[in-house]
Amino acid sequence: MGHTSIICLLILLVLQLGSGCTYMESRFEQRVEPHLDEILVYQRPVLDRSRNGIHVYPVSRAAHDLKALFFPFYAHPETGGNYNTGRRIGHTFWRTWLGQEVFPVMHYQDTQDWPGRKKAGDLARKMGADLYVMGQVSHYLGGGTRGTTSIALKVNIFSAQNDDLIWSMEHSGRIDNRGEMDFILIKRRTWMPESPEYVIVNKLAYDLAQPVKNWARGTIPDHALTRPGPGY
């Protein structure tokens, strides 16, 4: 059997091994680079997400044409982040919900410091909003493209009319850089995204958007936990 044929068989073996991994991992793209002395397989990392917990939800249908005001997320240094972390995450969260068209009107109030609930409610009423959305980064580990990035979020949605809590949700996600794995003639390298933080927050926001979007369109929410949305 020629050298080229051996390489082809090894490539097929790698792809078969990949299909035997977890459901999440099997959905990722692979790039195979055959060389004379080895085969390099580049694989996207697994984005592990918890089930998103919905702790408070409305028991009646939403009013029509809701207007929501979003704020930077709160991130305490003890959780691994800072104000700029919460500012980035809050903006990414808002942009994801904007793309999902969760509410008919959604604005982001980029304050110089975290406003707190009272100030946020006052700003929401001043701007004519029906709801205001405040988030907290309850855990943050930023590993960039070389390490592990894990993020946990808590999101609360309040009524601007009376400051009542309408929604309270939590979600978390993690991307690991598994580094290089050497299988004699085959090496597998992790193909990390440029911003694991963005990938995680975008997907967490997508998951949390779905029950709220359904409610905003007239569905009475279900208390059951929802499944994660599409993987990375």
Side-chain angles (χ1 to χ4, degrees):
M1 182 179 292
H3 193 73
T4 303
S5 299
I6 294 176
I7 290 177
C8 291
L9 287 174
L10 287 172
I11 292 174
L12 290 174
L13 177 61
V14 169
L15 294 177
Q16 289 176 352
L17 288 174
S19 64
C21 297
T22 64
Y23 169 72
M24 289 290 293
E25 190 167 344
S26 67
R27 296 179 58 175
F28 298 151
E29 297 176 0
Q30 290 182 334
R31 189 179 74 191
V32 180
E33 293 183 358
H35 298 270
L36 291 178
D37 57 344
E38 64 182 3
I39 297 174
L40 291 178
V41 179
Y42 291 88
Q43 192 168 47
R44 290 190 178 184
V46 175
L47 170 52
D48 292 316
R49 283 170 290 170
S50 65
R51 278 181 172 269
N52 44 309
I54 302 176
H55 307 299
V56 178
Y57 59 95
V59 294
S60 59
R61 290 182 172 85
H64 294 294
D65 301 326
L66 289 172
K67 179 180 179 180
L69 184 62
F70 290 68
F71 293 91
F73 281 24
Y74 176 72
H76 194 277
E78 292 183 358
T79 66
N82 53 40
Y83 176 72
N84 287 329
T85 304
R87 195 176 186 182
R88 289 194 312 271
I89 288 177
H91 190 266
T92 299
F93 192 95
W94 166 71
R95 287 297 297 257
T96 301
W97 278 36
L98 194 65
Q100 287 294 305
E101 299 180 342
V102 177
F103 300 115
V105 181
M106 288 175 281
H107 294 300
Y108 183 75
Q109 186 69 29
D110 192 7
T111 56
Q112 294 301 313
D113 52 12
W114 195 70
R117 182 174 171 182
K118 183 179 185 306
K119 184 177 178 180
D122 292 340
L123 284 171
R125 285 183 286 273
K126 183 178 179 180
M127 296 181 64
D130 303 292
L131 307 169
Y132 57 99
V133 181
M134 306 194 75
Q136 178 179 344
V137 182
S138 50
H139 168 75
Y140 182 83
L141 175 64
T145 59
R146 295 181 178 273
T148 296
T149 297
S150 57
I151 300 172
L153 303 177
K154 181 176 182 179
V155 181
N156 290 330
I157 302 177
F158 300 94
S159 166
Q161 181 180 5
N162 51 24
D163 295 317
D164 283 350
L165 179 63
I166 299 178
W167 287 90
S168 183
M169 305 174 288
E170 290 184 303
H171 206 359
S172 62
R174 175 189 182 102
I175 289 180
D176 289 314
N177 185 346
R178 298 183 177 181
E180 184 173 284
M181 302 183 69
D182 197 339
F183 303 99
I184 305 178
L185 294 178
I186 302 171
K187 288 184 178 180
R188 189 177 75 177
R189 293 177 180 172
T190 303
W191 187 6
M192 293 290 289
E194 292 185 7
S195 176
E197 175 191 293
Y198 173 82
V199 172
I200 294 173
V201 175
N202 178 260
K203 292 305 180 183
L204 299 184
Y206 176 90
D207 290 345
L208 294 176
Q210 305 316 306
V212 181
K213 181 168 67 172
N214 291 337
W215 169 71
R217 283 158 173 70
T219 301
I220 297 178
D222 189 309
H223 72 279
L225 301 182
T226 57
R227 296 181 178 181
Y232 165 54

